[in-house]
């Protein structure tokens, strides 16, 4: 069974940066697509970014293009989300997930992490 553990969340001021990490058991991200999602209170879960090493594909939500970068390290079996130029509207619980590409890009994960809080103050 795949286990995912997120880290790197915290409180930052608008314009700041954070780097989230999602460590997986086994060689999860050598075969599965890794994805990042977020959910703010009272709002629907939102797709943020996805990366597939096996397919060579990366995609981002329009709201984070040019500010966030997803990357995967197969040796460390970890997927990262570098977040720059953070805005208050980025405040949410961020989750990582693993699954097949066609599902992850539709916010459907086979395996999910517990989430990490990102708070951006104005």
């Amino acid at each position: 069974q795949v286990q995912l553990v997120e880290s790197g969340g915290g409180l930052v001021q608008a314009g700041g940066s954070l780097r989230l990490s999602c460590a997986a058991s086994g060689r999860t991200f050598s075969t599965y697509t890794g994805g990042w999602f977020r959910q703010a209170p009272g709002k629907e879960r939102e797709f943020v970014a996805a990366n597939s090493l096996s397919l060579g594909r990366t995609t981002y939500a329009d709201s984070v293009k040019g500010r966030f970068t997803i990357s995967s390290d197969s040796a460390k079996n970890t997927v990262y989300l570098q977040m720059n130029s953070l805005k208050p509207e980025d405040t949410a619980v961020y989750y990582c997930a693993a699954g097949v590409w066609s599902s992850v890009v539709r916010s459907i994960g086979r395996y999910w992490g517990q989430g990490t809080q990102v708070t951006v103050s104005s």
Side-chain angles (χ1 to χ4, degrees), residues 7 19-21 24 32-33 36-37 49 58 60 65 69 73 75 91-92 95 104-105 107 109:
S7 62
R19 189 192 192 199
L20 306 183
S21 299
Y32 283 110
T33 292
W36 286 98
F37 309 83
T58 300
Y60 298 91
K65 285 182 179 177
T69 303
D73 186 330
T91 295
Y95 300 90
V104 171
V105 298
S107 298

Side-chain angles (χ1 to χ4, degrees), residues 46-103:
E46 178 186 15
F47 171 81
V48 175
N51 172 256
S52 171
L53 291 174
S54 60
L55 297 176
R57 297 178 181 175
T58 300
T59 192
Y60 298 91
D62 289 341
S63 59
V64 305
K65 285 182 179 177
R67 299 189 298 120
F68 292 8
T69 303
I70 187 172
S71 61
S72 300
D73 186 330
S74 60
K76 296 182 178 179
N77 203 29
T78 300
V79 62
Y80 304 93
L81 185 68
Q82 178 66 46
M83 305 185 294
N84 299 324
S85 301
L86 283 163
K87 306 174 182 179
E89 52 262 44
D90 294 319
T91 295
V93 177
Y94 283 70
Y95 300 90
C96 69
V100 299
W101 175 266
S102 59
S103 295

